[in-house]
Amino acid sequence: MSANNWENAVRKVEPYVPGEQPKESDVVKLNTNENPYPPCPEVKELLNDFDISKMRLYPAPDAEILVDSIAQRYGLKSSQIFVGVGSDDVLAMAFMTFFNSDKPILFPDITYSFYDVWADVYRIPYKTCPLKKDFTINPEDYYQENGGIIFPNPNAPTGVLESVSMIEDIVSKNPDSVVIIDEAYIDFGGESCLTLTEKYENLLVVQTYSKSRSMAGMRIGFAMGSEKLIKYMNDVKFSVNSYTMNTITQICGAASMKNEEYFRDIVVKIIDAREKSKKKLAELGFTFTDSASNFIFAKPEQKSAKYVFDELKKRKIFVRYWDKPIICDYLRISVGTDEEMEKLFAALEEILNG
C-alpha cells in the first residue's frame, strides 16, 4: 500500500493570500486597508488598566458586553447581533450556516477573493457574475436561481458603491435565499442597507472593526439581521467553538463602539485624505473608480501597474497588486496619513517621470 494514501482524504484548497505584512518598521504600508490612526483613547486606557488575572478564565461565550454595545449603537436588539473574530470569521460562519443547498451561490467575478476560498473549503457550488465595464453590478444577474448571494458594498478591490435601492431590488427578487452584504468599508462614504433588515428577514449585513475603528489587530467582526438568522448562526458557532473571542477584545470593542465622536473624526480625516489623493493621482495620470472606501483602485497610464508596484516596493512603499485578468492594470492603494501619502506621491512622480 502506498505511504501517501492518507492524502486522498485530505481536503485540498487553494488558500486566500493576504496582503504582505512587511517586518521592517520604516515602510509606508498602504496595501491592506488598515486604518492609519490609533483606536479611541478608551481602548488604550483599558489595555493599560486591564487585570491580567482575568486571563486565566474563559471569556464570556456570548460576548454580551460587546454585543450589547453594538446593538445600542445601531438601534437593534442584542438578539439581532452576531460577533466573531474579524468579519472573515463572521462570513465563514455565515457560509457554513446558510449556503447548504445544491444550487450555486452567486457573487461578482471581481470581488473579495476569500469568497471562492470559503466556497471551496465548505464544498459549496458557486457561480460568478461579471461586473459591468464601470465595475458596477448588474442586478439582473442575480435574478437567477441560486443557493445564496454575497457581495461587498463598497466592493473590494474596486471601491465602487452600490445604492441601497439596487440592493433591495436583489433581495426582493430572492426571497428563498440568504443575501449577505459585506459592508467592511461602508463607513467611508456609503449608506448602509441595514434598514432593509427590518423588511427582509433573509438579509444579513456584515461589518468590521478593522477599518473605520482602527482595530484590525484585535479581530472584531459582526453581523446584523433578523433574530432568526442570528440564532441560526449562533447555533452553528456554539457547535464549533464557544470561546472564540478573548476577554480584552470584548471589553475594548465595547468601549470603541461607545465613542461616536472619535469614530466620526477619524472617518472624516480618511475621507478628506482620500479625496485629496484622487486629485493628486489624476494629476499624475492615473485613472480610477470613484472610491467610497478607505482605498483607491487606480490605473497608471504611463507605466504598467506591475512595474509601478515593484518600483514602489523597492522604495519600501507597499500597495496591493493582483496579476489577474481585468484588474492586472490596477493598483489598490490604501489611504494613509498625510505624511504617508506625500511619500507615495513623491515616489510615484519619480517612477513615472524617471
Side-chain angles (χ1 to χ4, degrees):
M1 184 173 67
S2 170
N4 294 328
N5 277 353
W6 61 267
E7 290 186 81
N8 295 330
V10 172
R11 178 161 296 192
K12 302 179 182 72
V13 294
E14 186 173 337
Y16 170 77
V17 180
E20 185 174 354
Q21 296 286 356
K23 294 180 172 59
E24 306 99 315
S25 58
D26 59 335
V27 301
V28 176
K29 192 171 182 298
L30 305 173
N31 66 331
T32 50
N33 299 342
E34 293 145 325
N35 197 310
Y37 302 103
C40 69
E42 289 84 351
V43 170
K44 182 178 180 180
E45 292 172 11
L46 284 167
L47 291 172
N48 288 338
D49 299 336
F50 182 68
D51 180 1
I52 197 171
S53 68
K54 292 181 179 179
M55 298 306 291
R56 66 184 180 82
L57 304 172
Y58 283 114
D62 58 5
E64 182 179 12
I65 186 173
L66 177 61
V67 168
D68 288 351
S69 68
I70 296 171
Q72 183 176 359
R73 163 65 170 75
Y74 289 94
L76 300 173
K77 299 176 183 177
S78 294
S79 53
Q80 292 180 270
I81 306 294
F82 176 92
V83 297
V85 186
S87 60
D88 287 341
D89 178 46
V90 174
L91 290 165
M93 197 65 63
F95 268 61
M96 193 189 306
T97 305
F98 300 121
F99 297 159
N100 289 291
S101 77
D102 295 330
K103 302 172 186 176
I105 64 171
L106 307 176
F107 49 83
D109 61 341
I110 300 172
T111 194
Y112 185 31
S113 53
F114 228 139
Y115 297 160
D116 58 345
V117 174
W118 287 318
D120 286 340
V121 167
Y122 298 127
R123 300 298 188 257
I124 301 167
Y126 69 90
K127 179 179 179 181
T128 60
C129 302
L131 295 178
K132 293 187 282 188
K133 288 185 177 180
D134 62 356
F135 293 124
T136 59
I137 286 173
N138 181 1
E140 294 181 3
D141 288 341
Y142 297 85
Y143 295 172
Q144 62 185 295
E145 191 174 31
N146 63 79
I149 294 170
I150 181 169
F151 58 86
N153 193 43
N155 196 8
T158 66
V160 172
L161 178 72
E162 302 286 356
S163 69
V164 172
S165 61
M166 189 282 285
I167 292 172
E168 181 169 16
D169 179 61
I170 290 176
V171 177
S172 67
K173 296 291 196 304
N174 291 276
D176 299 325
S177 302
V178 172
V179 179
I180 302 174
I181 307 300
D182 181 356
E183 293 189 338
Y185 302 100
I186 198 67
D187 294 323
F188 299 107
E191 179 184 357
S192 174
C193 66
L194 180 61
T195 55
L196 297 180
T197 61
E198 300 172 8
K199 187 175 179 181
Y200 302 97
E201 72 171 5
N202 62 319
L203 174 63
L204 189 75
V205 178
V206 178
Q207 295 189 14
T208 179
Y209 276 62
S210 296
K211 315 303 180 185
S212 56
R213 294 190 179 273
S214 308
M215 296 174 72
M218 279 201 157
R219 313 306 300 126
I220 306 175
F222 56 100
M224 301 175 283
S226 66
E227 292 178 277
K228 186 180 292 187
L229 284 183
I230 299 306
K231 181 182 184 304
Y232 282 134
M233 289 188 71
N234 276 317
D235 287 347
V236 172
K237 172 189 174 181
F238 290 122
S239 300
V240 176
N241 185 351
S242 299
Y243 302 109
T244 56
M245 185 177 292
N246 66 63
T247 299
I248 189 62
T249 295
Q250 294 181 29
I251 296 170
C252 290
S256 173
M257 192 57 69
K258 292 175 182 177
N259 193 333
E260 188 71 14
E261 182 178 1
Y262 184 86
F263 164 73
R264 293 294 176 191
D265 287 346
I266 294 301
V267 166
V268 167
K269 287 177 72 171
I270 292 172
I271 291 173
D272 287 346
R274 181 190 69 207
E275 296 308 305
K276 291 176 184 176
S277 296
K278 287 178 182 178
K279 293 179 181 178
K280 185 62 179 177
L281 286 170
E283 292 173 5
L284 290 169
F286 281 78
T287 57
F288 43 83
T289 60
D290 188 18
S291 174
S293 59
N294 69 335
F295 60 84
I296 302 171
F297 194 57
K299 178 181 179 181
E301 298 295 341
Q302 300 177 31
K303 307 282 186 179
S304 72
K306 180 65 166 60
Y307 175 81
V308 175
F309 169 79
D310 289 337
E311 289 298 313
L312 284 172
K313 191 172 180 180
K314 290 177 184 177
R315 294 160 173 80
K316 295 188 176 182
I317 299 174
F318 289 76
V319 297
R320 196 78 193 268
Y321 170 76
W322 288 271
D323 187 13
K324 294 182 177 181
I326 303 175
I327 63 172
C328 62
D329 293 331
Y330 289 81
L331 300 171
R332 193 194 67 188
I333 303 168
S334 304
V335 176
T337 62
D338 289 341
E339 181 183 8
E340 288 174 328
M341 301 311 286
E342 287 172 5
K343 290 180 179 179
L344 168 70
F345 297 136
L348 287 175
E349 287 182 356
E350 182 180 295
I351 294 166
L352 298 174
N353 298 325

